[in-house]
Amino acid sequence: MAKRHILATSTAAAMVLVLGACSGGSNGGGDGDGDGPSGTITVLTNRTDIVDTVLQDYVTEFQQTYPDVDVEFEAVTDYEGDVSIRLNSGDYGDVLLIPNTVDADQLSTFFEPLGSVDELGDKYRFIHDKAYDGQVYGLATFGTAMGYVLNKPVWEEAGITEPPATPEEFLDALEAIKETSPDTVPYYTNYADGWPLTQWQSNQGSIDGPEAVNLRTEQDAPWTEGEEQYAIDSLLYDVVEAGLSEPDPTTTNWEESKNLVGTGQVASMVLGSWAVTQMQDAAEAAGNPREDIGFWPMPWQTDGAFHTTVGADYKIAISKHSENKEAAEAWLYWFLDESGFAASQGGLAPQVDGESPEILADFETFGVEEVEIAPAPEGEENLLADIYNTAEIDLNGDQFRRQYIDVARGAADGDKASFFADLNDRWATARAEVVG
């Protein structure tokens, strides 16, 4: 398997629910009286915050339909890192979220096929994300729009009531926040946890449109001014270099960062829309209105309009090693279709006919247009991963972003020009090797 996958142990994506099961947790699987699924399944989850509350309530509801299935959760704090490693062992539960480090050509090694793209595409969105050779191996727990979470009163105190439309305006806005709210950190990287840095990459497509990823595979120098990849990484670099982020990024803490945004001690973080309800919960717990928390599009426009990349959050799947696939499948589809999880998280419904969440009301006000990344051409599903793995650039991970943050804050030698030039050299060499 998958040495590429194992190399990227700290890569993380959004915080979502993870289902998982220890293979040993199954009691035999589907061996009841023949009238339906039965037994015990283990579901891995990254939602340590709701594993003992919301998820337990889901089980109670689920068992009204499937009384002979017991569901046990295993919450994993470093989901991406730990589960990525566990995939090698075969002990990763019955149902789980597919770690983002798993490449398309590795899906059949670890997960059961759920159906064909044509079959499932009539009902579910985002099915290409974890599909390979026409088969779907994971379905989105919900969809998310990309942008940044902000504490609106802090931004309003700085005189900013509309989304900045350029990177320069965004930096100016953070500078204004620094001046008007000196006790507030204008931008929080969440460097120590790592996975929040991967959220920046999920904005690909917000400039180049649906073909952004396919375009990347045709480029020899993505980190060149004028290219989308440069815009994404350059903005983060510039925020840190200008001293607009937390003074010591090595001590950041994701869970605490929710409270910091909720109370206005942090003004903004680039994340998916999935994070809004969690920040609102923190604001409310601190005695502040939920409406204090807003969500705006990234600071750039194409053809005079903001764009947001919409995509799937974690994809739920069934372990290839599950001994109770019938019960696992029952949970998977009940969770997607009946639990109401997507709506509760402020996420886009995974179903084709689902509704947009209320938290994206500002997007409608500012005319933000949605972009959904186009699938890779047949036979090239793994091309991008082959290039960035060969280049040893964890494009969807956090390591190379941590490295340039260290450069930007003066903790490592170099500058933006030299760091990005090195990325371009490695990318071009890898692309030549992969494409031939």
Side-chain angles (χ1 to χ4, degrees), residues 83-100:
V83 177
S84 293
I85 293 172
R86 286 175 58 176
L87 290 180
N88 281 329
S89 71
D91 179 13
Y92 46 93
D94 299 288
V95 182
L96 69 159
L97 300 178
I98 300 177
N100 292 292

Side-chain angles (χ1 to χ4, degrees), residues 154-237:
V154 171
W155 280 67
E156 290 168 359
E157 179 68 20
I160 304 138
T161 57
E162 294 185 357
T166 67
E168 293 75 20
E169 289 182 10
F170 184 77
L171 292 169
D172 289 345
L174 297 187
E175 288 282 4
I177 290 169
K178 188 176 182 179
E179 292 179 8
T180 56
S181 300
D183 294 330
T184 294
V185 174
Y187 186 82
Y188 199 75
T189 67
N190 260 309
Y191 172 104
D193 288 87
W195 67 263
L197 295 173
T198 70
Q199 298 285 281
W200 284 79
Q201 192 60 35
S202 297
N203 286 291
Q204 60 188 354
S206 59
I207 296 176
D208 282 345
E211 295 295 333
V213 173
N214 295 329
L215 179 62
R216 198 88 68 248
T217 64
E218 298 174 357
Q219 295 172 324
D220 277 332
W223 287 272
T224 300
E225 190 167 2
E227 304 292 358
E228 181 181 79
Q229 193 64 52
Y230 177 92
I232 291 170
D233 290 312
S234 180
L235 181 57
L236 177 56
Y237 186 101

Side-chain angles (χ1 to χ4, degrees), residues 40-221:
T40 301
I41 58 171
T42 302
V43 172
L44 300 183
T45 179
N46 64 347
R47 293 302 302 269
T48 57
D49 56 333
I50 60 173
V51 67
D52 295 324
T53 54
V54 174
L55 296 187
Q56 297 301 328
D57 291 341
Y58 286 168
V59 173
T60 300
E61 295 178 39
F62 170 74
Q63 289 179 327
Q64 293 179 14
T65 305
Y66 300 100
D68 296 326
V69 178
D70 291 324
V71 181
E72 296 178 350
F73 295 104
E74 181 180 345
V76 183
T77 301
D78 180 9
Y79 187 80
E80 281 288 324
D82 290 348
V83 177
S84 293
I85 293 172
R86 286 175 58 176
L87 290 180
N88 281 329
S89 71
D91 179 13
Y92 46 93
D94 299 288
V95 182
L96 69 159
L97 300 178
I98 300 177
N100 292 292
T101 50
V102 178
D103 294 332
D105 62 352
Q106 299 173 319
L107 291 168
S108 63
T109 301
F110 304 115
F111 308 106
E112 282 292 305
L114 300 176
S116 71
V117 169
D118 290 339
E119 292 168 345
L120 293 170
D122 288 338
K123 182 170 183 179
Y124 296 104
R125 301 181 68 182
F126 315 120
I127 57 170
H128 293 283
D129 286 17
K130 293 301 178 188
Y132 187 72
D133 199 22
Q135 289 295 311
V136 178
Y137 293 89
L139 291 169
T141 52
F142 60 83
T144 191
M146 293 307 302
Y148 55 95
V149 177
L150 68 153
N151 185 293
K152 282 188 168 182
V154 171
W155 280 67
E156 290 168 359
E157 179 68 20
I160 304 138
T161 57
E162 294 185 357
T166 67
E168 293 75 20
E169 289 182 10
F170 184 77
L171 292 169
D172 289 345
L174 297 187
E175 288 282 4
I177 290 169
K178 188 176 182 179
E179 292 179 8
T180 56
S181 300
D183 294 330
T184 294
V185 174
Y187 186 82
Y188 199 75
T189 67
N190 260 309
Y191 172 104
D193 288 87
W195 67 263
L197 295 173
T198 70
Q199 298 285 281
W200 284 79
Q201 192 60 35
S202 297
N203 286 291
Q204 60 188 354
S206 59
I207 296 176
D208 282 345
E211 295 295 333
V213 173
N214 295 329
L215 179 62
R216 198 88 68 248
T217 64
E218 298 174 357
Q219 295 172 324
D220 277 332

Side-chain angles (χ1 to χ4, degrees), residues 355-412:
E355 297 180 355
S356 293
E358 176 63 25
I359 61 170
L360 294 181
D362 279 351
F363 275 27
E364 185 171 341
T365 299
F366 298 118
V368 181
E369 299 178 7
E370 292 187 1
V371 173
E372 193 167 340
I373 296 297
E378 187 174 351
E380 296 183 9
E381 293 90 342
N382 223 54
L383 179 56
L384 181 70
D386 287 344
I387 294 172
Y388 65 64
N389 283 320
T390 302
E392 297 185 353
I393 298 171
D394 60 331
L395 191 67
N396 296 314
D398 57 14
Q399 291 305 310
F400 89 99
R401 291 191 170 88
R402 280 177 164 166
Q403 291 167 1
Y404 73 64
I405 285 175
D406 286 342
V407 173
R409 68 190 182 95

